[in-house]
Amino acid sequence: MEKTWRWFGPNDSITLEMLRQIGVEGIVTALHSVPLGQVWSREAIREMREFIESRGLRWSVVESLPVTETIKYGGPDRDLQIEIYKESLRNLGKEGVRTVCYNFMPILDWARTDLEYPNPDGTSNLYFNNAEFAYFDINILQREGARNDYPADVINRMEAMGRLTPEKEQQLIENIIIKTQGFVSGNFSEADFDPVGKFRDLLKLYEGIDKEQLRANMKYLLEAIMPVCDEYGINMCVHPDDPPKPVLGLPRIVTCDEDIRWLLDAVPDRHNGLTFCAGSLSAGIHNDVCLLAEKYAGRTHFAHFRICQVMPDGDFKESSHLDPRLIEVIRTFSRLNPDVPMRVDHAPLMLGDEKMGYNAGYSFHGRMLALGMISGIMATIDTENQKS
Ligand code: DNO
């Protein structure tokens, strides 16, 4: 498997020179400076590619080429946006960048309530607390009918929290809307002065959009872009929803075995594939990641190796990259899809990472340790395979 690393461009304080020293082979990045919904020009793509290549690496995967909301909810300008998307894909294809990760999550990409949940060893991890998330939805966003979307035990836990201080409420807003979203080229940025108001406005766009409609809109996009992907050999790989369940009253459609089967069958083209994010999938107890890897490794074009531990109350946190389930997943990939690009993420903050201002989930020391662990697992499996 190709060892890749998500790098955020020339302004990333983790440089390509550093990455070469730790065994990274391929780069995962995006044109973060191009505003959402605009064409990625061939020149800008070439410049990025050459920058990476001049440092002895290759641009292996685009993460992400963002899908604008209008495509997801089926707004009046969706065909225009799809044309723009196709143009960006063509330009990527012409420059030889042929693996494109994207997601189809309405409004919010991945979600966490705590970005520095302390571990006993002094490191910290990302964490999702259902009661705090419900608090955000019901008391901060004040979404109509939100209360009905949570089971009684979550509501009880939320009520036991009482009223949070303004500082803690602000922290939740930052964690859920800003810090996890700002860097993924999505709808929000650090510069938003009223992120909650903006969120409410975006929610209105999804009134009446249920799971079936969202699926239809995803199929519409895939059918429109597949001819371009076929022509240029571009592998599209959708990232699973994180967490893999509906959130904030919004449908989510890449959450489980049945969803994955649906999306692969709905547009049966080999360029319509999956980002196998073991972490996102394992955040739902309904998913058996080892089984899913076995089923879908062959339709995977990109792998994210991390894994979550779900607590009895349904909260979850990132688990060790040495988790036996992850080892099993890697074993499956080395058998069924040995050339797939893989990367780690959502590693702990450690050894001073917390002071560096890295994007949430993208620490240096934590990810380096995780990559070291995964590299060891991969090397061991390869050696075993050669012997047998
Ligand atoms: C989180 C990431 C996601 C992913 C997008 C792909 O850390 O894995 O934000 O990049 O969902 O579109």
Side-chain angles (χ1 to χ4, degrees):
M1 277 171 265
E2 183 190 13
K3 289 180 230 168
T4 69
W5 182 279
R6 190 173 194 182
W7 173 76
F8 294 98
N11 294 330
D12 194 330
S13 59
I14 303 167
T15 64
L16 296 177
E17 287 77 5
M18 289 161 75
L19 298 182
R20 281 195 72 186
Q21 292 195 24
I22 62 171
V24 168
E25 296 158 343
I27 293 301
V28 175
T29 195
L31 299 187
H32 291 285
S33 57
V34 179
L36 194 58
Q38 290 192 15
V39 173
W40 287 15
S41 71
R42 187 161 175 190
E43 294 67 38
I45 295 167
R46 184 187 304 131
E47 198 184 321
M48 177 63 91
R49 181 178 62 69
E50 287 177 352
F51 185 92
I52 295 170
E53 288 174 357
S54 70
R55 270 86 180 162
L57 290 159
R58 60 183 293 260
W59 186 357
S60 307
V61 179
V62 172
E63 182 173 0
S64 303
L65 183 58
V67 175
T68 47
E69 294 305 323
T70 189
I71 297 178
K72 295 182 206 162
Y73 68 83
D77 51 344
R78 87 160 146 182
D79 288 335
L80 172 69
Q81 279 297 320
I82 290 178
E83 285 313 310
I84 289 174
Y85 204 89
K86 282 159 67 178
E87 193 55 22
S88 299
L89 286 176
R90 268 187 216 105
N91 290 337
L92 285 164
K94 287 177 192 158
E95 286 301 314
V97 186
R98 301 209 168 93
T99 303
V100 177
C101 171
Y102 70 105
N103 73 73
F104 216 78
M105 291 175 248
I107 308 177
L108 204 64
D109 191 312
W110 63 298
R112 292 293 182 280
T113 52
D114 196 340
L115 308 180
E116 293 193 36
Y117 184 84
N119 292 316
D121 61 7
T123 63
S124 67
N125 262 117
L126 305 171
Y127 193 94
F128 187 95
N129 179 312
N130 281 293
E132 289 185 2
F133 197 76
Y135 184 99
F136 168 79
D137 193 3
I138 297 167
N139 295 324
I140 299 178
L141 200 56
Q142 296 174 357
R143 184 173 60 85
E144 209 184 312
R147 238 185 140 78
N148 304 329
D149 287 351
Y150 296 91
D153 62 307
V154 171
I155 296 287
N156 290 342
R157 280 172 57 207
M158 183 194 81
E159 281 176 349
M161 282 162 46
R163 190 78 207 182
L164 297 179
T165 62
E167 293 73 33
K168 179 70 191 162
E169 288 196 353
Q170 187 56 34
Q171 183 79 61
L172 269 183
I173 296 171
E174 290 207 353
N175 291 352
I176 296 173
I177 314 187
I178 305 289
K179 291 192 181 147
T180 43
Q181 306 301 304
F183 69 92
V184 294
S185 306
N187 297 302
F188 300 94
S189 79
E190 300 272 351
D192 289 332
F193 76 98
D194 179 19
V196 174
K198 187 170 181 186
F199 206 104
R200 290 193 189 113
D201 289 343
L202 285 163
L203 273 178
K204 287 192 203 116
L205 301 171
Y206 281 87
E207 273 166 20
I209 306 288
D210 60 7
K211 177 177 169 180
E212 287 321 304
Q213 189 56 53
L214 193 63
R215 276 186 168 183
N217 295 350
M218 184 174 183
K219 184 167 185 226
Y220 187 89
L221 169 71
L222 285 169
E223 282 175 344
I225 63 176
M226 276 305 126
V228 178
C229 296
D230 294 340
E231 186 180 346
Y232 290 95
I234 292 178
N235 287 325
M236 294 301 296
C237 32
V238 69
H239 190 283
D241 305 336
D242 181 351
K245 61 176 182 184
V247 291
L248 309 172
L250 296 161
R252 285 191 152 188
I253 56 172
V254 193
T255 65
C256 60
D257 192 0
E258 198 254 328
D259 283 348
I260 298 173
R261 187 74 277 151
W262 173 83
L263 82 94
L264 297 178
D265 288 350
V267 183
D269 185 306
R270 71 196 165 86
H271 296 116
N272 171 27
L274 198 63
T275 295
F276 192 94
C277 177
S280 306
L281 293 166
S282 62
I285 37 163
H286 54 278
N287 286 325
D288 175 340
V289 263
C290 300
L291 199 68
L292 293 175
E294 192 72 35
K295 277 187 164 176
Y296 299 114
R299 286 297 293 272
T300 294
H301 301 307
F302 182 31
H304 287 183
F305 288 152
R306 66 176 176 89
I307 197 123
C308 286
Q309 183 192 351
V310 183
M311 263 58 84
D313 58 9
D315 292 357
F316 65 86
K317 69 170 185 169
E318 310 289 335
S319 177
S320 162
H321 288 74
L322 293 175
D323 187 302
R325 292 167 298 159
L326 195 52
I327 298 178
E328 199 51 44
V329 167
I330 297 170
R331 206 181 280 288
T332 303
F333 271 91
S334 65
R335 182 161 46 83
L336 299 178
N337 196 344
D339 296 326
V340 78
M342 58 65 57
R343 71 166 180 83
V344 298
D345 66 350
H346 296 199
L349 288 171
M350 62 197 311
L351 306 171
D353 282 334
E354 58 286 356
K355 297 191 207 84
M356 296 298 290
Y358 297 131
N359 291 328
Y362 293 88
S363 62
F364 181 59
H365 293 120
R367 271 194 294 168
M368 177 169 69
L369 180 61
L371 180 64
M373 289 169 170
I374 300 282
S375 300
I377 296 168
M378 295 197 302
T380 305
I381 295 171
D382 285 349
T383 315
E384 283 170 6
N385 288 348
Q386 277 155 20
K387 280 193 198 142
S388 61

